[in-house]
Every structure is written in structure tokens, then in C-alpha cells.
Amino acid sequence: MEKTDQLMRNRAKAIRLIGIANELLAMARELEIGTSVAADPLGIGTRIEAQEVAKTSASQDHPVWVELARQTYEDRRRRAKIFQSDDLFGEPAWDILLDLFIAAKERRRVSVTSACIGSAVPSTTALRWITILEKQNLLVREADTGDARRVYVKLSARGYAAMLEYFASASRSVVLLDDPRPGILAAL
């Protein structure tokens, strides 16, 4: 029993630390967007879009959302494993969006190949969904300047804002983000 309690405390501490790290990343992103639009850190493209994302990030971004995204992605993998079928729960577009949202929060680049693997469907199916998501202006492709054979994908400004909106509305039932009481997130 003592060991279980210690594991729970350690997990709670780890989650808090991850939340703090993600909050720092979000703050850094806001500073970059606000001070260096010319550098285009999110690959946004225009000043107007950058200002919209900065406004969205400042008003809606929360460090717990990347944890909810990770948990959602892991739950999807666990579900397929437990039910022993990848065919029952396929939603490759959502898996790609989750993967790209997590990558954006972690400031990592995702190659098309990696996005295909993360979607848990055959590459041809994943590529078809990447094209659809690109046409919907939810993600963008960018060539690797160091290797002409590699192409990266990332959420567009619209895609990132949509993911923020999704997790903002989804998290309302899990976390009271507007609760002024100190330590409301510490329970996580």
C-alpha cells in the first residue's frame, strides 16, 4: 500500500513538472510570436495569421492540453491493443492531428514518414489523409533544407487554433481552468 501511495505521489509530481515545462514552452512560443514574426517560428506565413495565433495562444493555450492530447493518443493505441483490432477504431486524420499537436507543443518536427507511422494505418491511407488535411488547411508540408528527400508536416495556424479550441472545450469537463482557487491544477 505504501509503495502504491508513493507511486501515485511520484506520478502527480511528474504530471505537475510536465505541466510546468509545457507552460514554459507556451510562454516561449508567445514571446517568439509576439517579438519575432519575421522569423515565423510556427511557419505561419503572414503577420495577420501570426497575430491571430498569438491571441489564441495567449487566451486559450494551457499546459495540461498536451497531456490530454498524449493521453487521448495513448488511449487510442491501448483500445486497439485490448480489442486486438486496428480496424475497429480507425481515425487516421485524428491520430495525425494529435501527433502534430503534441509535436508542436514539444517543439519537434515530424516527417511525413513519422506521421504515417503515427496514424496506425498503411502509408498509402495516411498519405491520403495528410493530403486531405492539407487541403482543409489544417496542416502544411515543408521540405527539409538539409535533405531533399525528406518532407516535414506540421499543424497550420488554423489547425493549431482548432486543436486549442478542441482541448479548451474538452478540458472544461476535466479541469476547471478558470477556477481562481490556488492549487486547482496541483491535484493533477
Side-chain angles (χ1 to χ4, degrees), residues 1 12 24 26 34 78 91 109 111 124 147 176 181:
M1 190 69 149
L24 289 171
R78 185 179 320 106
E91 242 184 319
R109 299 177 88 186
S111 67
T124 53
D147 184 350
L176 301 174
R181 291 177 290 170

Side-chain angles (χ1 to χ4, degrees), residues 6-170:
Q6 183 61 39
L7 286 173
M8 294 298 286
R9 283 193 299 275
N10 287 345
R11 179 165 168 72
K13 287 178 185 177
I15 290 171
R16 284 195 303 270
L17 286 172
I18 290 168
I20 291 167
N22 287 326
E23 187 171 359
L24 289 171
L25 285 172
M27 290 168 68
R29 178 178 288 123
E30 288 174 26
L31 289 172
E32 281 182 338
I33 292 171
T35 59
S36 181
V37 175
D40 199 14
L42 291 177
I44 295 166
T46 68
R47 183 180 268 303
I48 293 169
E49 287 179 354
Q51 290 170 346
E52 287 175 13
V53 170
K55 181 180 173 187
T56 300
S57 295
S59 65
Q60 290 187 337
D61 209 347
H62 196 278
V64 79
W65 296 340
V66 72
E67 291 309 312
L68 289 174
R70 277 191 195 102
Q71 183 177 6
T72 301
Y73 188 82
E74 290 168 6
D75 287 347
R76 294 178 57 69
R77 302 287 76 78
R78 185 179 320 106
R79 194 172 54 181
K81 184 178 177 181
I82 289 171
F83 287 93
Q84 299 177 356
S85 176
D86 291 331
D87 299 335
L88 291 176
F89 306 109
E91 242 184 319
W94 182 235
D95 288 333
I96 291 167
L97 291 172
L98 284 170
D99 188 26
L100 295 179
F101 180 71
I102 294 165
K105 298 294 267 175
E106 293 176 345
R107 296 194 157 291
R108 35 176 195 92
R109 299 177 88 186
V110 177
S111 67
V112 169
T113 303
S114 178
C116 289
I117 293 168
S119 69
V121 293
S123 294
T124 53
T125 303
L127 289 169
R128 190 169 45 253
W129 280 106
I130 287 171
T131 300
I132 291 168
L133 291 169
E134 186 177 32
K135 285 180 182 176
Q136 293 288 321
N137 194 27
L138 294 171
L139 66 78
V140 293
R141 296 181 204 225
E142 59 181 24
D144 183 347
T145 55
D147 184 350
R149 298 169 295 178
R150 183 179 303 138
V151 176
Y152 292 104
V153 288
K154 64 182 176 181
L155 290 175
S156 65
R158 178 174 179 255
Y160 187 79
M163 293 301 283
L164 287 179
E165 184 178 343
Y166 173 82
F167 283 107
S169 62

